[in-house]
Amino acid sequence: MNPAHLHLMLNHVPVLAVPFGLAVLGWAVFRPRPEFARLALIVFVFSAVATIPTYLTGEPAEDAIEGVAGSIEPWVEPHEEAALVSLILGEALGVLAIAGLWSARRAVSPSRPMMTASLVLALVTAGSLAYTANLGGLIRHTEIRSGATLPGAGGNGGNHGER
């Protein structure tokens, strides 16, 4: 397994965990379910922990594919910048989740303001992670780049079997 493979495996964890936690927390806010609120906060902590190695494997992944992929710099730089923002947001969400779990250790449920703040920050973090993942996909998936022309897509609407 090379660094690019490791990075690709790890990056799915926060990208999928934060929206999952967001859905669970949304359910907990609109249908008072304290066990769901705690689960969502635990998912956010897990995601924050997973975001660190995901970010740290980015540079070695870039080094691993530079020779194979040709000129990737125009797509790597925006991805790196977005990844830093996602890292900061993900860690902030993890810290907020730890604070929520800590404050609720003797209560039935985390406080309403804590859950609302977590919900808002999780929404922003999920958006940032989705944007970062999209930019990462542009590095190697030329077919999703703006203005890309796919072989065989000229004029027949992609229906390769029709004449």
Side-chain angles (χ1 to χ4, degrees):
M1 177 181 334
N2 66 26
H5 188 198
L6 183 60
H7 182 69
L8 290 171
M9 285 177 15
L10 289 171
N11 71 33
H12 290 83
V13 176
V15 168
L16 296 174
V18 171
F20 173 74
L22 183 60
V24 172
L25 186 60
W27 184 262
V29 167
F30 296 110
R31 297 261 196 227
R33 301 288 303 262
E35 65 276 9
F36 280 29
R38 290 179 195 278
L39 173 61
L41 296 177
I42 290 168
V43 168
F44 294 150
V45 172
F46 172 75
S47 178
V49 170
T51 301
I52 295 168
T54 301
Y55 181 80
L56 294 176
T57 58
E59 194 67 38
E62 177 186 2
D63 296 341
I65 68 166
E66 274 181 332
V68 177
S71 178
I72 59 171
E73 208 57 37
W75 295 278
V76 169
E77 288 304 317
H79 176 62
E80 286 178 351
E81 292 169 7
L84 180 59
V85 172
S86 290
L87 173 69
I88 292 166
L89 288 169
E91 297 313 302
L93 180 60
V95 168
L96 184 62
I98 289 170
L101 289 167
W102 179 260
S103 70
R105 69 190 182 285
R106 294 191 181 136
V108 174
S109 178
S111 70
R112 193 87 167 156
M114 180 63 72
M115 290 194 325
T116 302
S118 296
L119 197 63
V120 170
L121 185 54
L123 189 59
V124 172
T125 303
S128 178
L129 287 165
Y131 179 69
T132 301
N134 182 59
L135 291 175
L138 295 175
I139 295 169
R140 290 285 290 157
H141 293 281
T142 57
E143 72 276 12
I144 63 174
R145 293 181 188 161
S146 179
T149 304
L150 299 176
N156 68 359
N159 295 324
H160 303 293
E162 294 181 17
R163 293 181 194 241

